[in-house]
Each structure stands twice: as structure tokens, then as C-alpha cells.
Amino acid sequence: MRSLPDHWANRLRPLWMVLFGLAVLTVMVSTIYAVRASYYTQPVIHEFGLDFDVTTSSELLVGTYAPQGETPTVPLKNKVVSIDGNPVPADLQVSQLAKRLDKAEGNPVKVVLRQPDGKLIELSQERHKVAISPADLNERNFRIWTRLATALFACVALLACGMLLALRRPNDPVAMLLAFAFIAMVAVGDPPMQFWLWTGKHYVIDIFGSVFFYLLLVGLAAFPDGVFVPRALRWLIPVGIPLAIFVSSPAVNEDLQGVVAIGGLFAVLACQVIRFRREPVGIVRQQIKWAGFGFAAGLLLVLAAVVLAAAIGDQSNFTPLMSLAVLVLFSLGLATMALGLIVALIRFRLWEADTVITRSAAYAVVTLIVGVVWAASSDLVKLVITEVMGHDSEAGATTVGAIIAAGVFSPTQSAVLGWTRKHFGGPLDQIHDSAKRLKSWGLTESPEEVATRALSIIDQAAHPAASAIVLDTAMGHELIAAREVTSADDSKLIEKLTIEDEESSVGTLLIGRRSDGNRYNKQEIEAIREIIPSLAEALRVARGRFSRESAMQQRMEEMAARLAQLEGGTPKPA
């Protein structure tokens, strides 16, 4: 896919802005709806001793309310037929059920339900306040607002990333594909998903879900420059349409849809590995790293949410915190995918990818080890207490397990981070190892070769777009090495650093901005400054040795010329 013509960009940008405004409006309305559902709709239904569930096809199922951990008398598998003798519509919504119960005049209220086998049951429900302790109320408020805060963070991240892409890169086909995909992702995320399901508009999720999947699939296949690698991925443009319809169709098994969707996205992501290996070291590789990290991490979070939801879906004793974990993981997964892709496309701090990825992996390993130690030690301590004291002590086992885990945390963190620093060191580590070699090069190489190798080291550590070294001479200044420029006066070279050590100055190091267009971070500046004393010493030694060798060569040529004159012959080149 090539760059979009200006007339296409001018048409797509207003369309995206309209969809952006609708997405913002949808998030606002669905957030208000979610708050009302949490503080009015659900409490009213619970006050009548009823509970409900909404399926993925917006079907409202009702049963009796049961406290946490208890089995309801009437399971949540029935449809409401009438309330106080008044029939209700077949597509009754949750908010309508709450309003009808709230306005019912009967006491008790008679609710007729139709079971899955077609039989009718009549319930007489009296309204009473649900007793809730202050601690339970605080926990409930925490769950509600944590869920909403995480969901809104994901929506804001998706909308902000989409806006940056649409405004800054309107002619980039990949950027525009992802900008539209982010809008569709907002429409199927939380809280809009709850709004569509609870208002009977589940088909909106199917429509936007298929659009989101198709745009993301093609966008990832052509990432980052619109070229499909391998070329067979071009067939995703036509083939992706029926595939997107398949993974969003309500007539298809949901488990099969999830496997196909996640498998397809992972397959496209795996193709980026092929492209990564074909690309030389540079900007494109860093873009693939950021996009791959963000998308893989986000998809794993979404996959964890799906697995957790499937695990608790058939259990009646799951806790509200488990439901919160599903929603939080899902929202964070969407936000992570968007943030990784936006960093790659706008080239923001591209060269920090290695540091971010390795540290994230290191902390994930530390967390896993500590979690396993805590769980294992808690169970072991619990077993020991039971054998010795004859009764369980959950609190004591948990406390001892936490103490053991805390003791393991520090040495585990030091070991894992030390290993990552050794194998994936930052700019300071790279410069520190290379500075030692500069001194030995000064004894054997010319100043030009020393300067060329020094620029290569700086390029690997700080990634400047251009660099040069100017050596001080008796007659002025001489350009002895350069990368991506031919003159020391080039406008790309915006930073000047004096090459000096404890003795004196020997020249000037000129560098441009980072190759990704960003400013140097603190570590990179410190790394460049750390190499300067060693570079100054190496250049001084190389220049002195080279001067002596040149003077000796000149003298030898003069002696050869004199001998030739004395002998009356032609001097031979020295």
C-alpha cells in the first residue's frame, strides 16, 4: 500500500473526525449508563430478591438473588413473562425491568418467569433493603470505580492514539487503518460493550467487532510502511473480509471464533519476525520491536481475561473481584496494544524498546517467582500448622508465606535484573566496555580509524542521525571521520562536544538529533560524555604516533634522495 493521495487524505480525515466524535459521545453515554446501572438498576432488582444475567445476544435471564457463595433457589435461566399481571415485551431490557419493579403497586410483587423448558413459575417478591456492611459497601464502590477508571483509561488511550495518527500521518495508509481500528475498538470495549448488550443492541458489537478485526489484521500485516512481508499477506485484503465476518457472526460458536481471531492475529504478528530478520539494524527494526511488544503484551492480557472469564463462567461461587479482574485485564490489553503501535508509528523514543522490553520481562519473571514461592510456602505452612496444632490457620499461613516471599523478592530481583543488564545493557554499559578498547586502538591505528570506530560506538549507544569528529591541527581544524554528512558545517549536526581529557582539548565531536527524531535521554548523554576522555587520549596518542611515523618516513625519503644524488641514480620510493 502506497502513500494516500492528498484528495483521499482530505476525505478520510473528516470521516474519521465524525466517527471520533460519535465514539466520544458513546463513551460518555455508556459511562453514565454504567454508573446508573451500578447504583440504581442492580440495587432495585436485588431489593426484590431477584438477580439477572445478560447473554451475549442481549437476552435477559432472571432468577432469585442469593448471597455470595450460596446457590439461588431459582437459577438465572428464565425469561420474564409478566410483572403484577402486566405482560412485558419479549426483548425486555435490564433498565426496564428495574423501572417496572420500582413502580409496581403490588406487595408482594408477582413475577411470572418462563423456564427453558417452557414451564411457567410465579414468584411473590417483597421489597426490602439489602443489608450491606460499611466494609462491603467500600469494597463495592472500589470495584465499580476501579472498573470504570480502567475502562476509561483504555478508551482515552485508544482515542488519543487514533487522533495522533489521523492528524499527524493522514497520508500513511497503515496509520489511517489503525486510526479507524482504534475507533472500532472503543465501540466494543468497556463500558460501551455493557451499554450495547443491556440495551438490546448486541448487533452493534458484531458490526464494530468485525470492522476492528479486519482493519487491525490488515494494518498489522502491512506494518510499518505499507509493504506486505512476506508478499502472500497481500491476500488478507480480500480474504480478511469473510474472516472478519466469521469471527463476529452470532451464528458461530464463540469459542471457535475466539480461537480463530486470536490465532489469526498471532499468525500475522509472527510474520513480523520474518520482516524483522530481513531488515537491517535501524528505525524499522525498532518500530517492529515496539509494535510487537505492545501487541503481544496486549493480546496476552486480553487472552488472560478470556481464559479467566471462561474459568469462572460455569462456577456459581466466583467472587465479584474475579469479574473485576476480567474487565481490568481486557481494558488494559486494549490500551497496551494501542500504545505499542502508536509509539512505533510516531517514532517516539524508539531506541528505548530494548530497555522497556527486557525490564518488563525481568519484572514479569520476578513477579512469577515471588508469586509461586508465596503460594507454595503458604500451602506448606498451612499443612505444617494443621499437623502440629490440629486445626487450620489461614491467616497465619498467609502471613508466613508473605514474609518468605518478601525475603525472596530482593535477591531474585537483583539476580534477574543483573542478568538482563549484563546481556542487554544500556548505553552506559555499552560505552563502558568500548571505552577500554579505544586506548589500545590509539597505539596501533591512525587518528582517522580511531575516530571512525568511535563514531560507530556512539551510533550503537546513542543512535544519532549524523555525527562527525573534527581534529585540532597546527593549521586549524580537520574533519577526520563522519557518518551521514560530508562537512562539519552540515545543519544536521546540532550538538558540539569538546573532545578533551585532563591534559587538553584535541578536537570536537559533532552529533545530530537521534535517528527517531527525539531528544537524547540522560543515560545517552552520560554515555557520550563518558567516552570523550578515552577518545581524547586515543586521538592524542594516535596523532603523536602518526606524526612521528610521518616525520620518520619523510626523513627516510630525504636520505634516499640524497644517496641517489651521490650515486647519480634515481631514488627509489621509500
Side-chain angles (χ1 to χ4, degrees):
M1 294 186 291
R2 298 180 179 179
S3 178
L4 294 174
D6 289 338
H7 66 276
W8 274 105
N10 294 333
R11 293 174 183 174
L12 289 176
R13 184 184 290 178
L15 174 61
W16 184 90
M17 294 300 295
V18 171
L19 294 176
F20 176 83
L22 293 175
V24 172
L25 182 62
T26 301
V27 171
M28 294 174 60
V29 171
S30 60
T31 301
I32 296 173
Y33 185 91
V35 173
R36 178 175 174 79
S38 299
Y39 288 100
Y40 170 75
T41 304
Q42 289 176 305
V44 166
I45 296 175
H46 289 167
E47 286 175 1
F48 284 90
L50 298 174
D51 204 353
F52 66 93
D53 186 24
V54 180
T55 66
T56 55
S57 58
S58 296
E59 186 179 20
L60 177 62
L61 302 178
V62 178
T64 54
Y65 175 78
Q68 182 64 42
E70 298 182 12
T71 303
T73 305
V74 179
L76 305 181
K77 298 180 179 179
N78 315 288
K79 299 196 68 175
V80 180
V81 177
S82 65
I83 298 176
D84 265 353
N86 299 316
V88 300
D91 57 348
L92 181 69
Q93 300 174 13
V94 180
S95 59
Q96 295 172 343
L97 173 62
K99 287 181 181 179
R100 287 174 177 266
L101 290 173
D102 193 22
K103 295 180 180 180
E105 297 179 355
N107 191 19
V109 175
K110 295 182 179 180
V111 180
V112 177
L113 303 177
R114 177 179 287 109
Q115 295 178 322
D117 58 4
K119 295 181 179 179
L120 299 180
I121 57 175
E122 182 176 311
L123 303 177
S124 296
Q125 304 298 113
E126 293 186 359
R127 185 171 189 174
H128 58 83
K129 290 289 184 181
V130 178
I132 182 170
S133 65
D136 292 337
L137 181 61
N138 291 334
E139 180 187 344
R140 180 170 176 269
N141 290 332
F142 169 78
R143 287 188 282 106
I144 292 172
W145 292 106
T146 299
R147 170 241 172 158
L148 287 177
T150 309
L152 291 177
F153 166 74
C155 291
V156 170
L158 289 167
L159 292 174
C161 293
M163 176 176 287
L164 284 174
L165 293 176
L167 296 181
R168 294 183 59 174
R169 307 188 67 175
N171 297 97
D172 186 340
V174 175
M176 292 307 296
L177 280 173
L178 295 177
F180 280 99
F182 291 161
I183 295 293
M185 289 171 72
V186 171
V188 299
D190 187 36
M193 179 184 290
Q194 178 192 12
F195 177 74
W196 302 129
L197 289 176
W198 285 27
T199 56
K201 299 177 178 61
H202 63 280
Y203 55 86
V204 177
I205 299 177
D206 298 332
I207 295 172
F208 281 105
S210 60
V211 172
F212 144 63
F213 178 79
Y214 176 76
L215 294 177
L216 187 61
L217 190 71
V218 177
L220 284 176
F223 182 87
D225 53 5
V227 178
F228 292 96
V229 178
R231 297 184 65 184
L233 290 179
R234 292 178 300 171
W235 289 101
L236 284 177
I237 296 176
V239 174
I241 296 176
L243 185 62
I245 296 175
F246 175 82
V247 300
S248 301
S249 174
V252 182
N253 180 271
E254 293 180 359
D255 294 335
L256 178 60
Q257 288 177 326
V259 171
V260 172
I262 294 177
L265 292 174
F266 264 126
V268 173
L269 186 64
C271 291
Q272 287 291 335
V273 177
I274 301 175
R275 184 187 186 113
F276 179 83
R277 293 186 174 182
R278 292 182 182 180
E279 293 289 341
V281 176
I283 293 295
V284 175
R285 273 201 169 199
Q286 296 304 117
Q287 287 180 298
I288 295 174
K289 285 182 183 179
W290 268 113
F293 170 69
F295 188 79
L299 201 56
L300 287 175
L301 289 173
V302 172
L303 182 61
V306 173
V307 171
L308 182 58
I312 66 177
D314 298 330
Q315 298 179 8
S316 59
N317 60 343
F318 71 91
T319 65
L321 288 177
M322 296 173 69
S323 299
L324 174 64
V326 172
L327 294 173
V328 168
L329 287 172
F330 181 77
S331 298
L332 290 179
L334 295 182
T336 303
M337 282 190 283
L339 292 174
L341 290 170
I342 191 66
V343 168
L345 283 173
I346 67 174
R347 300 187 178 187
F348 178 74
R349 314 305 301 182
L350 283 183
W351 294 105
E352 273 80 355
D354 296 335
T355 301
V356 172
I357 294 172
T358 53
R359 287 190 179 181
S360 299
Y363 281 115
V365 171
V366 172
T367 303
L368 179 63
I369 293 175
V370 172
V372 170
V373 170
W374 180 41
S377 58
S378 297
D379 291 341
L380 182 60
V381 172
K382 183 179 179 180
L383 180 62
V384 172
I385 292 176
T386 303
E387 291 294 329
V388 175
M389 303 180 62
H391 60 83
D392 294 340
S393 180
E394 188 73 30
T398 303
T399 302
V400 174
I403 294 173
I404 296 174
V408 171
F409 176 77
S410 182
T412 303
Q413 182 187 38
S414 300
V416 174
L417 292 180
W419 184 87
T420 56
R421 190 178 296 110
K422 179 179 179 181
H423 291 79
F424 307 97
L428 280 172
D429 300 312
Q430 298 175 25
I431 290 292
H432 184 72
D433 296 335
S434 301
K436 300 175 182 178
R437 300 199 299 269
L438 279 173
K439 297 180 180 180
S440 61
W441 292 337
L443 298 174
T444 59
E445 306 296 338
S446 65
E448 290 79 5
E449 181 63 24
V450 172
T452 300
R453 295 185 181 184
L455 291 183
S456 177
I457 294 171
I458 293 172
D459 184 67
Q460 293 177 6
H463 314 287
S467 57
I469 291 179
V470 176
L471 189 65
D472 296 338
T473 64
M475 304 299 295
H477 307 286
E478 179 185 357
L479 180 66
I480 60 173
R483 296 175 72 94
E484 305 299 332
V485 292
T486 56
S487 170
D489 298 325
D490 197 296
S491 59
K492 294 181 181 179
L493 304 173
I494 60 174
E495 298 287 345
K496 294 184 179 182
L497 299 173
T498 303
I499 303 175
E500 60 182 352
D501 56 8
E502 297 177 353
E503 296 185 20
S504 63
S505 170
V506 296
T508 305
L509 171 64
L510 307 172
I511 57 175
R513 283 188 177 274
R514 288 202 337 178
S515 56
D516 58 6
N518 295 285
R519 294 181 179 274
Y520 296 100
N521 59 37
K522 184 179 179 181
Q523 268 200 338
E524 290 166 340
I525 293 295
E526 291 178 356
I528 294 173
R529 294 189 183 281
E530 182 171 329
I531 200 176
I532 283 179
S534 300
L535 177 58
E537 181 181 351
L539 287 175
R540 181 180 291 106
V541 172
R543 182 177 59 180
R545 179 179 52 77
F546 186 75
S547 298
R548 290 192 299 270
E549 291 178 355
S550 297
M552 184 175 296
Q553 180 72 15
Q554 184 177 359
R555 290 177 183 176
M556 290 178 63
E557 290 178 354
E558 291 176 355
M559 289 178 62
R562 290 180 182 179
L563 288 174
Q565 290 177 358
L566 293 174
E567 297 176 356
T570 302
K572 297 180 180 180

